[in-house]
Amino acid sequence: MTELVRVPVAALRTTVERAFAALGMPAADAAISADALVEADLMGISSHGVSNYIQLIYAPGLRSGRITAAPDIRVVRERGAAVLVDGDNGMGHVVGHRAMHHALDRAREHGVGVATARNSRHYGAAGYYALLAARQDCIGISMTNADSLVLPTHGKEARFGTNPIALAAPTGEEPMFLLDMATSTVPLGKIMLAARAGQSIPEGWAADREGRSTTDPRVAFDAMRLLPLGGTYEQGSHKGYGLALLVDILCGALADGVHRGGSVGGSVGHFFCAIDVEALRPLAEFRASMDELLRLMRSTPRVDEAEPVIYPGWKEHHARIDREANGIPLHPKVVEYLADLCAELGVVSAIA
Amino acid sequence: MTELVRVPVAALRTTVERAFAALGMPAADAAISADALVEADLMGISSHGVSNYIQLIYAPGLRSGRITAAPDIRVVRERGAAVLVDGDNGMGHVVGHRAMHHALDRAREHGVGVATARNSRHYGAAGYYALLAARQDCIGISMTNADSLVLPTHGKEARFGTNPIALAAPTGEEPMFLLDMATSTVPLGKIMLAARAGQSIPEGWAADREGRSTTDPRVAFDAMRLLPLGGTYEQGSHKGYGLALLVDILCGALADGVHRGGSVGGSVGHFFCAIDVEALRPLAEFRASMDELLRLMRSTPRVDEAEPVIYPGWKEHHARIDREANGIPLHPKVVEYLADLCAELGVVSAIA
């Protein structure tokens, strides 16, 4: 296995920021996109960090104009605590960041705020936006729909995306709670990884072209048919499917009416919600309750002594500590790609 | 198998309403509780209809005073679109109904409304409250925490309840969307049913006392340890676990700070949200988008021709048509129990 290179956080952020600015993004927006990607890497959500989508989506999208580099992001409909944002096909990070801040502003005033976004693009890790809210003492919720990749229960063609749900909540002394989950059993990345490693995959992850669960990752990758959380009907896949529809209702029907299962396009919709804790409970009490809840989980007697009970956000917290100290682990090819990109764009890479 | 008796809807509703009134509930509240139970039966959610909990929880609770028959339900904290309701340990249906109506009122004014409830009791089917909102052209969300029954991933003791999530949304011509799901793979009722029928249960539903998945429903029922949606870590049980925590954060930490995994009590917390569709999108367009989305699902090519692709709410819609026409199917013992209860309470049953 190739040894990963550890790249210091600040150098990586600066480099990505410079590249995005050179690709036409306003300076403040380039900083947001770079932050969204580096934050994902800091939390160990590498699939949505700097490794994949700069090369696959962001750089080519900005170059071709498929993604608007300097979008006119604006509120197009609103009532009190609820706003609909049009993203003008700008970078999803920037649209999402703006929309979540609208939700936060409304939450300060009304206790809760909701923002939907239409005409946006791939926004990276759903949890990033939820965390923006949690760091401001709100409960943050973030969802997005995505290109068609997942089968409905009993169906053999993909009809919706991995449609993630994220929720973050502030704590007292415990690491912050952060749930960031695809509503499919696994994301596509896990299938690709197994295919590359020549390993079989468990039943319930993905299907062949006939919609039947397969353990061969190459068959699964060829078919591009993931299974909803639960895997089979008997194991509750109708629940994973139902959650994916919940996401498509809030991000599709409620935002822009586009359903990616029908006509796959580049644009997507998002949903954000912020609840100001203090509106409903004294913040200090809430923090103490969160600590109590999460410690109750961590203190659960274990099935296997070697495998502790943790909670969503725990691994991310510890990945962050490691990466802030030691840098972000990247494949040498990614480092090389970033160097080439900077050279092409005529900007100076900050990575040594 | 015992033949079920078909009881006309109106007669059942009236009878249950009279019984609740005779147990001390104000007339309007008794009507709400009866409606919540009969609605669940109409939708085929029999586990939360008139069959189980009147005998197990509601009647004994009201008699003993453990449930307050005539509670003083009031808003104890609020800001704009967000309210915290204290249920005074009243019937969960009444507390939930009141709280969802607060959320709806706030949604009319602010586009979105959130209501949390503390000091409530078992509120029946989560979907009932979501439907109240959807019938008023809002997206309705309803959640509740519950007594400890489900294991966290890698844990061998139950730390939270089946913590359901419900979302309902209006449609145009398609049956209404209604997701109402426990965040465990299955509810306890399915284990009891299998035990009674002498059938084995699939892996991933429940565990033995050591926290290991079991296929013996008697072992599972004895251990009282359900598994979170996903069943095993490999199949994504950390996601079901994460969703259950999401529910406990919104219904516990944000509402009253009580975590049922620690000290099991009778009181529970709920979370309700209503989003007024019109605030974010013209209602007619939203309805058309919903129809399009749901028809896209139903038209998905099938793995097995005999097994159509449906969506959450489809079965419930068809159960309702059948039951409104032919009555609600009840076990003769349930009909007998209701007759005895009425006799004891000195009220006239409306069931022939």
Side-chain angles (χ1 to χ4, degrees):
Chain A
M1 212 172 134
T2 315
E3 186 113 5
L4 299 181
V5 184
R6 288 279 191 160
V7 177
V9 178
L12 184 61
R13 186 182 273 115
T14 302
T15 303
V16 173
E17 195 176 326
R18 286 178 187 163
F20 281 139
L23 283 160
M25 293 179 72
D29 290 2
I32 290 169
S33 276
D35 189 57
L37 297 179
V38 172
E39 275 288 312
D41 274 321
L42 273 169
M43 294 187 282
I45 311 175
S46 317
S47 55
H48 290 82
V50 305
S51 297
N52 288 326
Y53 295 113
I54 296 180
Q55 187 165 9
L56 282 173
I57 297 182
Y58 306 132
L62 288 166
R63 277 178 160 147
S64 69
R66 225 171 109 79
I67 299 176
T68 312
D72 177 19
I73 301 169
R74 61 198 201 287
V75 172
V76 287
R77 195 174 172 102
E78 64 178 305
R79 184 198 302 164
V83 304
L84 167 62
V85 170
D86 187 290
D88 194 22
N89 289 312
M91 287 281 276
H93 315 119
V94 180
V95 179
H97 192 273
R98 193 78 61 86
M100 180 49 105
H101 277 94
H102 280 298
L104 280 164
D105 289 346
R106 307 290 163 137
R108 290 290 172 235
E109 191 178 342
H110 304 284
V112 55
V114 158
T116 50
R118 71 181 190 199
N119 292 325
S120 184
R121 298 281 166 162
H122 191 277
Y123 84 163
Y128 175 71
Y129 311 92
L131 274 179
L132 292 178
R135 285 185 187 135
Q136 295 197 28
D137 301 329
C138 290
I139 293 174
I141 297 170
S142 158
M143 305 178 192
T144 188
N145 57 16
D147 282 351
S148 206
L149 197 57
V150 187
L151 300 179
T153 302
H154 303 313
K156 67 177 174 184
E157 279 183 20
R159 282 289 187 262
F160 43 83
T162 52
N163 294 11
I165 297 175
L167 182 141
T171 47
E173 292 164 4
E174 284 289 306
M176 203 171 267
F177 179 89
L178 172 63
L179 175 69
D180 182 350
M181 55 171 268
T183 51
S184 50
T185 305
V186 292
L188 189 64
K190 286 220 178 183
I191 311 289
M192 292 162 72
L193 231 81
R196 222 178 292 151
Q199 291 163 340
S200 68
I201 54 173
E203 297 278 352
W205 282 21
D208 62 18
R209 291 187 172 270
E210 292 308 308
R212 300 185 195 279
S213 179
T214 177
T215 58
D216 184 335
R218 287 155 309 175
V219 169
F221 189 70
D222 174 62
M224 295 290 262
R225 283 163 169 79
L226 297 177
L227 291 167
L229 177 59
T232 62
Y233 177 71
E234 195 174 62
Q235 297 289 337
S237 73
H238 51 296
K239 298 185 179 188
Y241 165 39
L243 289 169
L245 283 181
L246 175 160
V247 173
D248 245 324
I249 289 169
L250 295 173
C251 301
L254 188 62
D256 68 355
V258 180
H259 303 306
R260 276 81 202 169
S263 54
V264 175
S267 108
V268 292
H270 316 306
F271 174 87
F272 304 96
C273 178
I275 303 173
D276 191 341
V277 168
E278 188 71 37
L280 290 169
R281 248 198 123 199
L283 183 60
E285 288 183 22
F286 178 82
R287 287 186 188 282
S289 289
M290 285 297 297
D291 283 354
E292 194 193 330
L293 174 66
L294 300 175
R295 283 170 183 158
L296 182 66
M297 297 303 136
R298 293 205 294 108
S299 67
T300 311
R302 308 169 181 185
V303 172
D304 172 352
E305 269 313 308
E307 202 60 83
V309 176
I310 57 173
Y311 62 79
W314 182 263
K315 274 188 186 166
E316 291 78 359
H317 171 77
H318 290 90
R320 183 184 295 272
I321 291 170
D322 165 62
R323 285 151 193 223
E324 276 175 352
N326 306 312
I328 287 169
L330 295 176
H331 194 283
K333 284 201 175 156
V334 173
V335 179
E336 196 184 305
Y337 167 76
L338 289 175
D340 290 349
L341 182 67
C342 286
E344 270 174 56
L345 294 168
V347 298
V348 179
S349 168
I351 301 168
Chain B
M1 211 171 136
T2 314
E3 185 114 4
L4 300 180
V5 183
R6 287 280 190 159
V7 177
V9 178
L12 184 61
R13 186 182 274 115
T14 303
T15 302
V16 173
E17 194 176 325
R18 285 177 188 164
F20 280 139
L23 284 160
M25 293 178 72
D29 289 2
I32 289 169
S33 276
D35 189 57
L37 297 180
V38 173
E39 275 287 314
D41 274 321
L42 273 170
M43 293 187 283
I45 311 176
S46 317
S47 54
H48 290 83
V50 304
S51 296
N52 288 327
Y53 295 112
I54 297 180
Q55 188 166 7
L56 283 174
I57 297 182
Y58 305 132
L62 288 165
R63 278 178 158 146
S64 69
R66 225 172 110 79
I67 299 176
T68 311
D72 177 20
I73 301 168
R74 61 199 201 289
V75 172
V76 288
R77 196 175 172 102
E78 63 178 305
R79 184 198 300 165
V83 305
L84 167 62
V85 170
D86 187 290
D88 194 22
N89 288 312
M91 288 280 278
H93 315 119
V94 180
V95 179
H97 192 273
R98 194 78 61 88
M100 181 48 105
H101 277 95
H102 280 297
L104 280 164
D105 289 346
R106 307 289 164 138
R108 292 288 173 235
E109 191 179 342
H110 304 284
V112 55
V114 157
T116 51
R118 71 181 190 198
N119 292 324
S120 185
R121 297 281 167 162
H122 192 277
Y123 83 164
Y128 176 72
Y129 311 92
L131 273 180
L132 292 177
R135 287 185 185 134
Q136 294 197 29
D137 302 330
C138 290
I139 292 174
I141 297 170
S142 159
M143 304 177 193
T144 187
N145 57 15
D147 282 350
S148 206
L149 195 59
V150 186
L151 300 179
T153 301
H154 303 312
K156 67 176 175 186
E157 278 182 20
R159 282 289 186 263
F160 44 83
T162 52
N163 293 10
I165 297 175
L167 181 141
T171 47
E173 292 164 6
E174 285 288 305
M176 204 171 265
F177 179 89
L178 173 63
L179 175 69
D180 182 350
M181 55 170 269
T183 51
S184 50
T185 305
V186 292
L188 190 63
K190 286 221 177 182
I191 311 290
M192 294 162 71
L193 231 81
R196 221 178 292 150
Q199 292 163 341
S200 69
I201 54 173
E203 298 278 352
W205 282 21
D208 62 18
R209 289 185 174 273
E210 292 308 308
R212 298 186 196 277
S213 180
T214 177
T215 57
D216 184 335
R218 288 154 310 175
V219 169
F221 189 69
D222 174 62
M224 295 291 262
R225 283 162 168 82
L226 297 176
L227 291 167
L229 177 59
T232 62
Y233 178 71
E234 194 175 61
Q235 296 290 336
S237 73
H238 52 294
K239 297 185 178 189
Y241 164 40
L243 290 169
L245 283 181
L246 175 159
V247 172
D248 245 324
I249 288 169
L250 295 173
C251 300
L254 188 62
D256 69 355
V258 180
H259 304 305
R260 276 80 203 170
S263 54
V264 175
S267 109
V268 291
H270 316 305
F271 174 86
F272 304 96
C273 177
I275 302 172
D276 190 341
V277 168
E278 189 70 36
L280 290 169
R281 245 198 124 197
L283 184 60
E285 286 181 24
F286 178 82
R287 288 187 188 283
S289 290
M290 285 297 296
D291 283 355
E292 192 194 332
L293 174 67
L294 300 175
R295 284 172 182 157
L296 182 66
M297 297 304 135
R298 293 204 295 107
S299 68
T300 311
R302 308 170 182 185
V303 172
D304 171 353
E305 268 314 307
E307 203 58 84
V309 177
I310 57 173
Y311 62 80
W314 181 263
K315 276 188 184 165
E316 291 77 0
H317 171 77
H318 291 90
R320 183 184 294 274
I321 291 171
D322 165 62
R323 284 149 194 225
E324 277 176 350
N326 307 312
I328 286 169
L330 294 176
H331 194 284
K333 284 200 175 158
V334 173
V335 179
E336 197 183 306
Y337 168 75
L338 290 175
D340 290 350
L341 182 68
C342 285
E344 271 174 55
L345 294 168
V347 300
V348 180
S349 167
I351 301 169

